[in-house]
Amino acid sequence: MPAIPITEELRTLWPRKDYSRVPFRFYHDERLYREELERIFRGPTWSYLCLEAEIPKPGDFRTTLVGETPVVVTRKDDGDLAAFVNRCAHRGAIVRREAFGNAREHICVYHRWCYAQDGSLTGVPFRRGVAGKGGMPDDFDPKENGLQKLKVHSMRGVVFATFAAEVEPLADYLGPVMTAHIERLMHKPIRILGYQRQTVFGNWKLYMENVRDSYHGGLLHEFQNTFGISRVTQVGGARMDAKHRHHVTYSSAAEAGDGTQLHKDAGVANDRLRLADGRLLEYVPEFADGQQLTISSVFPNAVFQQIRNCLATRQLRPRGVDEFDLVFTIYGYVDDTPQLQELRLAQSNMIGPAGYISMEDGEAIEIVHRATKGEATTSGLLEMGSLGEIPDEIRFRTSEVSIRGFWSYYAALMDMKPDGAIR
Ligand code: FES
Ligand SMILES: [Fe+2]
């Protein structure tokens, strides 16, 4: 008898049709993870690669990952972007090992096969052999043996790519909500300020849940709570695209209840704590909508953050079912004053592996991952905010609705919807 596909087997585990219960096994099943790499990261999705500002000049390239697949993204001499799998067509060696560079061609170190800026094979040493002996067969066709190319597209300088031959255009994939948000963040030319990287020992989906969960912000993050950066009582909410695959959570400084006074001065929420460097709490207004904190995600691997004046993208790179890396790219705008640039850099200490915020997210994910390992039938609970049909927009922060949105799109893509699933 043929084995039941893992997705078919796990599909029956959903306890409810509205994704308000998530079986813990979904974070741990090795076979499911292999399916995710194929159906999601190599499937009909657009993955975030980098920012165009990282590769401004002809020949600039950077190495990155889509799922677990190494990828080079580059700007060709004609100014267009290209992306290809960073794995030699000959024997599979990594072709580009540096994080960044500038090159007109890419040469594999192993047997020196040479590739053009778009990944096409242009040279094979000893292709005709030596003294008429050896070499490649006459019918060897370099055109058939280049590096595997990805479709690449940029939205306002944010670069995405896909492996899928059949996929909707990037603008349709992002949809109006996410497109408007990217346009908002990238409303003028940006400058890269730096990078941080964090390894988390947990399943990658726990992170995509974490960023969609705005209600943990003022509870888990003692720093945010103490110093009033993110409070569950603030005016805020979340918006999603029609398929609920991306999300934008936002909050303004205003309180929905009566708490503004409480956080007026640095440290007032807790009189034992004072900041030596008050710049972490400063805010130079820069968006007309008054939103001081926005966290958004593009399925499956991108997060955009605006925490006060700290702007960054986060790229999620899964490393097996139990581990992932986060790469933070911190940026500002080209026309920032030196003081504003300094402020952004100071505030970037809130994120990353030693930051006041991301460190705790990493720890929260790891304790969930550890405690749920080996669970065959039990589930986590996502009832905060609403049950049943998933709305495209919620106007409060005490909600886990966007996490249910993530799972509904995940289930559709993985062919794992529960019978009678709500949308
Ligand atoms: S593996 Fe790259 S040239 Fe042989
Ligand atoms: Fe968090």
Side-chain angles (χ1 to χ4, degrees), residues 88-93 108-113 115:
C88 186
H90 180 216
R91 301 294 306 283
C108 175
V109 70
Y110 200 171
H111 313 88
R112 305 276 165 182
W113 284 28
Y115 301 93

Side-chain angles (χ1 to χ4, degrees), residues 251-362:
S251 62
S252 65
E255 293 284 336
D258 179 24
T260 315
Q261 192 57 36
L262 191 64
H263 300 284
K264 205 156 173 248
D265 308 307
V268 289
N270 182 333
D271 60 14
R272 289 179 293 115
L273 298 173
R274 286 281 183 276
L275 285 177
D277 185 350
R279 287 179 303 171
L280 288 176
L281 304 181
E282 281 175 29
Y283 179 62
V284 177
E286 56 183 336
F287 295 104
D289 55 22
Q291 290 166 11
Q292 292 195 12
L293 193 155
T294 67
I295 301 285
S296 58
S297 65
V298 172
F299 190 95
N301 76 333
V303 175
F304 300 87
Q305 76 158 60
Q306 172 213 347
I307 304 176
R308 298 276 161 120
N309 294 109
C310 182
L311 306 173
T313 67
R314 306 175 189 169
Q315 184 193 36
L316 184 149
R317 300 175 171 183
R319 299 163 54 124
V321 71
D322 289 329
E323 186 178 339
F324 63 88
D325 272 352
L326 289 174
V327 177
F328 299 80
T329 303
I330 299 143
Y331 68 90
Y333 299 107
V334 169
D335 66 1
D336 284 349
T337 61
Q339 293 82 355
L340 183 52
Q341 185 168 313
E342 272 300 304
L343 183 65
R344 294 192 201 282
L345 283 168
Q347 293 186 353
S348 74
N349 290 312
M350 290 193 283
I351 64 161
Y356 296 117
I357 298 170
S358 317
M359 187 166 60
E360 291 158 359
D361 286 321

Side-chain angles (χ1 to χ4, degrees), residues 89-149:
H90 180 216
R91 301 294 306 283
I94 291 263
V95 177
R96 276 293 172 196
R97 293 183 291 172
E98 21 334 29
F100 293 94
N102 183 283
R104 305 203 69 172
E105 55 193 14
H106 303 285
I107 299 172
C108 175
V109 70
Y110 200 171
H111 313 88
R112 305 276 165 182
W113 284 28
C114 178
Y115 301 93
Q117 283 178 328
D118 68 350
S120 305
L121 180 61
T122 52
V124 173
F126 304 113
R127 184 175 163 196
R128 309 275 172 228
V130 175
K133 295 202 178 72
M136 301 294 279
D138 288 342
D139 64 356
F140 175 78
D141 184 0
K143 283 202 283 302
E144 297 293 313
N145 291 283
L147 301 172
Q148 186 186 352
K149 293 172 188 173

Side-chain angles (χ1 to χ4, degrees), residues 17-91:
K17 301 178 195 322
D18 64 356
Y19 308 99
S20 59
R21 293 280 190 284
V22 179
F24 291 132
R25 207 176 140 191
F26 292 2
Y27 308 110
H28 298 281
D29 193 294
E30 180 71 41
R31 282 198 296 154
L32 180 64
Y33 175 70
R34 295 284 140 211
E35 286 289 323
E36 290 167 353
L37 292 181
E38 284 309 313
R39 295 188 193 219
I40 295 175
F41 292 99
R42 302 180 71 89
T45 59
W46 287 89
S47 285
Y48 167 76
L49 291 188
C50 69
L51 297 169
E52 279 197 57
E54 294 175 90
I55 47 172
K57 295 191 299 298
D60 283 353
F61 68 86
R62 74 155 299 173
T63 50
T64 180
L65 282 113
V66 173
E68 290 191 0
T69 310
V71 165
V72 174
V73 54
T74 185
R75 187 179 297 280
K76 297 183 295 179
D77 284 345
D78 64 9
D80 286 349
L81 299 168
F84 48 81
V85 172
N86 190 11
R87 184 178 56 230
C88 186
H90 180 216
R91 301 294 306 283

